[in-house]
Amino acid sequence: MNELTKTTSFVKFAVIAVILSLGGIADAVYLTVHHYTGEQVPCGATGGCEMVLSSAYATVYGIPLAFFGAVAYFTAFSLAVLTSFGNVKLWNLFGLQVTLMACFSAWLVYLQAYQIQEFCQYCLVSAGICFSLFITFAASKILK
């Protein structure tokens, strides 16, 4: 496969990753803002948002995990944008980033299910986006 074909293939996946990352940024920033303003997060579908977001697992040294999520999503977004402009070498770094994000999200879903025993719909959306980013990267490697 020549370099142009390889670049074009990764660009398609990178554009998908950019869109997914923007959704993750929006979700994480929303939760971060709600944390710092003290507003309750409306939770209709699962009903457990406040239990999850006020649990001992929701912050690290007083900083909400959603803030770290926003940083992680922004990093993934940046790497995907750079890849979409032809810097294919950064795609593997993107893959490492989203693999770590998906693993951490799996841990957080485990905590919701077995430790907190409640679910936050926003957290589940974030986990879904992380897994989708990972699948996008894996598909780019398989289907290249």
Side-chain angles (χ1 to χ4, degrees), residues 3-144:
E3 194 62 34
L4 180 60
T5 306
K6 185 177 178 183
T7 300
T8 304
S9 173
F10 284 118
V11 166
K12 293 174 187 174
F13 289 104
V15 169
I16 293 168
V18 165
I19 294 165
L20 288 169
S21 296
L22 286 173
I25 290 169
D27 182 60
V29 167
Y30 177 78
L31 290 176
T32 301
V33 167
H34 273 275
H35 173 85
Y36 285 116
T37 60
E39 292 181 37
Q40 268 198 324
V41 177
C43 190
T46 59
C49 293
E50 280 309 309
M51 288 292 296
V52 172
L53 296 174
S54 63
S55 75
Y57 303 103
T59 60
V60 175
Y61 297 112
I63 302 170
L65 285 184
F67 173 79
F68 296 108
V71 171
Y73 280 120
F74 183 75
T75 302
F77 168 79
S78 300
L79 292 169
V81 166
L82 291 170
T83 300
S84 71
F85 281 105
N87 193 339
V88 179
K89 293 177 183 175
L90 290 178
W91 190 241
N92 287 330
L93 188 56
F94 169 85
L96 175 63
Q97 172 75 15
V98 298
T99 299
L100 294 172
M101 290 170 67
C103 289
F104 192 69
S105 288
W107 172 249
L108 293 175
V109 170
Y110 164 81
L111 289 174
Q112 288 180 77
Y114 297 103
Q115 297 297 315
I116 305 168
Q117 298 181 342
E118 293 283 349
F119 288 98
C120 168
Q121 66 194 22
Y122 302 98
C123 304
L124 295 176
V125 165
S126 180
I129 292 171
C130 286
F131 298 140
S132 297
L133 287 168
F134 175 76
I135 290 167
T136 301
F137 175 74
S140 77
K141 294 299 191 176
I142 294 168
L143 301 174
K144 64 179 177 178

